[in-house]
Amino acid sequence: DTEVTQTPKHLVMGMTNKKSLKCEQHMGHRAMYWYKQKAKKPPELMFVYSYEKLSINESVPSRFSPECPNSSLLNLHLHALQPEDSALYLCASSQRTGFGIQETQYFGPGTRLLVL
Amino acid sequence: SQQGEEDPQALSIQEGENATMNCSYKTSINNLQWYRQNSGRGLVHLILIRSNEREKHSGRLRVTLDTSKKSSSLLITASRAADTASYFCATDPRGNNRLAFGKGNQVVVIP
């Protein structure tokens, strides 16, 4: 199984709402990632989890709160978002074989988020 | 900072033709990857080329890497309508899987 799944596929939320994005993989990968992608732009890294611990936070605003409950799951909790946060949110995973070894990242299909 | 930049950014070709796109980067790398993204969907890994490799093939894909020029190219031979997608190169300058993607090339293959 080389699939990364993400739910929901689409999400519309108001600026006062609280919502969560979910990501799941069953490849035994120990690194998981959240990316944000605006239209016609490349993905931008937000967070990296390595062995269920947050290892990289690319100065993401606190209204985005990641969580890694176990090695297969990755959540992104959203609260008080702004319209400019509307984007495609992509989750990815990789094996995490070690520092300095660039790995293939496997991406989910993304959640398309619209903040009104 | 953006590590990769592709040129050209938009390419429209007839089915059966070859498509070539380029990527340049700014820092030294260990590897460079190419990913494909179909419209509004997740990215799919295509190929990884290591810094000590000059050329790599995978099916209809051919990737070259010139570390002296800090550039890479992706060639898709005998293109198909299904190859219509955006193609991104990605580098990992700090070696911690902190991928930095290039701007991307939009390829449209006309049947």
Side-chain angles (χ1 to χ4, degrees), chain B residues 14-77:
Chain B
Q14 294 289 328
E15 201 166 29
E17 293 181 340
N18 295 342
T20 300
M21 59 207 87
N22 300 307
C23 166
S24 59
Y25 55 91
K26 296 176 182 173
T27 64
S28 62
I29 60 170
N30 291 322
N31 308 290
L32 183 143
Q33 301 185 52
W34 283 91
Y35 286 82
R36 183 187 77 227
Q37 184 177 33
N38 292 90
S39 180
R41 298 191 57 78
L43 282 76
V44 175
H45 178 259
L46 295 177
I47 198 163
L48 181 152
I49 187 164
R50 303 190 189 285
S51 59
N52 61 355
E53 297 176 307
R54 291 296 166 258
E55 188 171 309
K56 196 164 183 179
H57 296 254
S58 176
R60 293 183 296 112
L61 305 179
R62 173 178 164 250
V63 169
T64 63
L65 180 64
D66 187 334
T67 52
S68 66
K69 295 180 180 177
K70 290 187 167 59
S71 68
S72 175
S73 68
L74 172 66
L75 167 68
I76 304 173
T77 60

Side-chain angles (χ1 to χ4, degrees), chain A residues 74-93:
Chain A
L74 185 66
N75 298 322
L76 186 62
H77 303 298
L78 314 172
H79 175 53
L81 294 194
Q82 304 296 311
E84 59 264 29
D85 296 321
S86 298
L88 180 68
Y89 288 85
L90 294 162
C91 173
S93 69

Side-chain angles (χ1 to χ4, degrees), chain A residues 22-33:
Chain A
K22 296 185 184 302
C23 173
E24 190 167 4
Q25 57 88 14
H26 294 288
M27 294 178 277
H29 290 172
R30 302 310 297 273
M32 296 186 78
Y33 312 79

Side-chain angles (χ1 to χ4, degrees), chain A residues 33 35 37 40-43 45 56 58 88 90 94 96 98-105 107-109 112, chain B residues 2 30-33 35 37 40-43 45 48 88 90-92 94-99 101-103:
Chain A
Y33 312 79
Y35 289 86
Q37 186 179 25
K40 299 189 186 303
K41 297 289 187 183
L45 184 65
I56 295 173
E58 293 283 22
L88 180 68
L90 294 162
S94 68
R96 184 85 283 183
F99 187 86
I101 300 172
Q102 190 177 11
E103 302 167 337
T104 297
Q105 292 189 17
F107 284 80
R112 189 162 296 283
Chain B
Q2 197 157 281
N30 291 322
N31 308 290
L32 183 143
Q33 301 185 52
Y35 286 82
Q37 184 177 33
R41 298 191 57 78
L43 282 76
H45 178 259
L48 181 152
F88 296 93
T91 60
D92 181 17
R94 283 170 276 191
N96 58 358
N97 282 293
R98 202 177 204 149
L99 286 186
F101 287 88
K103 291 180 184 175

